[in-house]
Amino acid sequence: MPLLGPADPLPHVPRRVLVAGNAGSGKSTLCRRIADQHDLLRVELDSLYWGPQWTPRPEFLAEVAAFTREDRWITEYQYKVARPALLARADTVVWLDHQFPVVMGRLVSRTVRRRAAGVELWNGNQEPSLWSAFTDSEHILRWGWKSYRRNRARVLALVDDVVVVRLRGQGQVERWLSGPLASVGEERAR
């Protein structure tokens, strides 16, 4: 299947959508927007994966399997253990392929803002101290830095299996939402 861009018409109405991209690229925000625009069940994988004190929840894969059996949903394309189940049911992948400085700037800003405000994320968890970015190899800032190229290769490998829409920059995201995605929504409503 061809890699679609922000102006390319969609071959079908997306019903089971994965949003791929690096940490800080805006996956969760885009999931919310698409879910609202197309009345899709939105599932935030982080809320299923992380239990109290940043421990993985044993029910995670069962919960992923349960929602992927639904006919209409959207979620982030993340967590290696969940990717096969997600991809087996997805009909569309939206790839936020923003430039590295953009995603790192967003990731740093989001992390600092959440930490400073004491925002509760999932199941009582909060962003760890910013100092831990220097001491914890799995800190979200270090993770975002390390995983950027890996994420790009992973998504490019999907092109033969599923429709992939590549969006580079917020302008392309906005054009796609109001263009091709809005057009298929209008067709669905008729």
Side-chain angles (χ1 to χ4, degrees), residues 1-11 17-21 30 34 92-100 148-149 151-153 155-159 162-177 180:
M1 292 179 209
L3 185 63
L4 301 179
D8 294 325
L10 292 164
V17 182
L18 298 172
V19 177
L30 186 58
I34 294 171
T92 307
V93 173
V94 181
W95 176 23
L96 296 174
D97 186 24
H98 302 320
Q99 293 182 2
F100 183 74
Y148 184 78
R149 288 187 186 196
N151 283 328
R152 297 184 90 225
V155 178
L156 282 171
L158 302 177
V159 172
V162 66
V163 171
V164 177
V165 178
R166 181 183 193 184
L167 304 174
R168 304 198 68 181
Q170 196 59 37
Q172 288 191 3
V173 170
E174 299 305 325
R175 282 194 297 279
W176 183 74
L177 286 169

Side-chain angles (χ1 to χ4, degrees), residues 20 25 107 109 113-114 120 125 165:
S25 63
L107 185 59
S109 174
R113 188 175 57 252
R114 285 176 173 175
E120 181 180 323
N125 296 310
V165 178

Side-chain angles (χ1 to χ4, degrees), residues 12 26 30 35 46-47 55 86 91 111-112 126 132 147 165 172 185:
H12 58 263
L30 186 58
D46 284 331
S47 70
T55 57
L86 295 168
D91 60 35
T111 302
V112 169
Q126 294 182 336
S132 67
S147 62
V165 178
Q172 288 191 3

